[in-house]
Amino acid sequence: MTTTTARTTTQEELFRFLEDRFACAQTCTECARACALRASLVDPGGPEDQEAVRRKGIMCAEVCDATCRVLSEQGSQDETALRVQVEWCRAVCLESAHVFDDHPGAEDTAKACRECAQACTDFMTTLA
């Protein structure tokens, strides 16, 4: 009876892990799109504050895209490497949200970044 309970718990943990992993990957994709769009709307030769927004949008899009690819890979993965990638994504998303907060018209992008950071945080709890 104890063995059955242990298996059920393990299966539940696996399902939660996979669900959170999928949710994180999906949110990373949405954030990458929002950040790429925001970066494309900013003039590359514009003022310094706009250039910072453009650079941050590009960086966030690239990190989110890379994280989504890592999360989408099949097969065994090193949990430590996965944790580092997801934590990096979370940190970049939070930094980006702060930059976008100071840029008029970028509220939706800041929101997408915060949602992605939260999805990363939620997923990391399944790694513990």
Side-chain angles (χ1 to χ4, degrees), residues 92-102 109-111 113-114:
V92 168
C93 285
L94 288 176
E95 289 173 14
S96 298
H98 292 303
V99 169
F100 296 139
D101 283 339
D102 296 334
T109 307
K111 181 181 176 207
C113 289
R114 282 193 179 80

Side-chain angles (χ1 to χ4, degrees), residues 24-63:
C24 187
Q26 188 175 16
T27 308
C28 284
T29 299
E30 291 166 11
C31 185
R33 285 185 191 133
C35 288
L37 177 62
R38 176 59 41 203
S40 72
L41 295 175
V42 177
D43 181 18
E48 188 175 322
D49 65 326
Q50 286 192 4
E51 181 60 23
V53 167
R54 189 177 78 76
R55 280 194 319 267
K56 190 55 77 173
I58 291 168
M59 181 177 171
C60 192
E62 289 176 351
V63 171

Side-chain angles (χ1 to χ4, degrees), residues 2-118:
T2 305
T3 307
T4 306
T5 305
R7 269 192 210 140
T8 303
T9 302
T10 302
Q11 281 184 329
E12 288 172 7
E13 289 172 349
L14 176 61
F15 289 141
R16 178 168 178 231
F17 170 81
L18 293 173
E19 287 173 350
D20 286 353
R21 184 175 178 155
F22 176 76
C24 187
Q26 188 175 16
T27 308
C28 284
T29 299
E30 291 166 11
C31 185
R33 285 185 191 133
C35 288
L37 177 62
R38 176 59 41 203
S40 72
L41 295 175
V42 177
D43 181 18
E48 188 175 322
D49 65 326
Q50 286 192 4
E51 181 60 23
V53 167
R54 189 177 78 76
R55 280 194 319 267
K56 190 55 77 173
I58 291 168
M59 181 177 171
C60 192
E62 289 176 351
V63 171
C64 285
D65 184 54
T67 303
C68 181
R69 283 193 313 262
V70 167
L71 292 169
S72 299
E73 289 177 0
Q74 296 295 323
S76 63
Q77 292 179 335
D78 177 19
E79 184 179 314
T80 303
L82 191 60
R83 181 180 294 282
V84 167
Q85 179 69 40
V86 173
E87 175 57 35
W88 181 39
C89 185
R90 188 190 74 76
V92 168
C93 285
L94 288 176
E95 289 173 14
S96 298
H98 292 303
V99 169
F100 296 139
D101 283 339
D102 296 334
H103 189 71
E107 295 84 8
D108 290 343
T109 307
K111 181 181 176 207
C113 289
R114 282 193 179 80
E115 289 172 354
C116 188
Q118 184 60 53

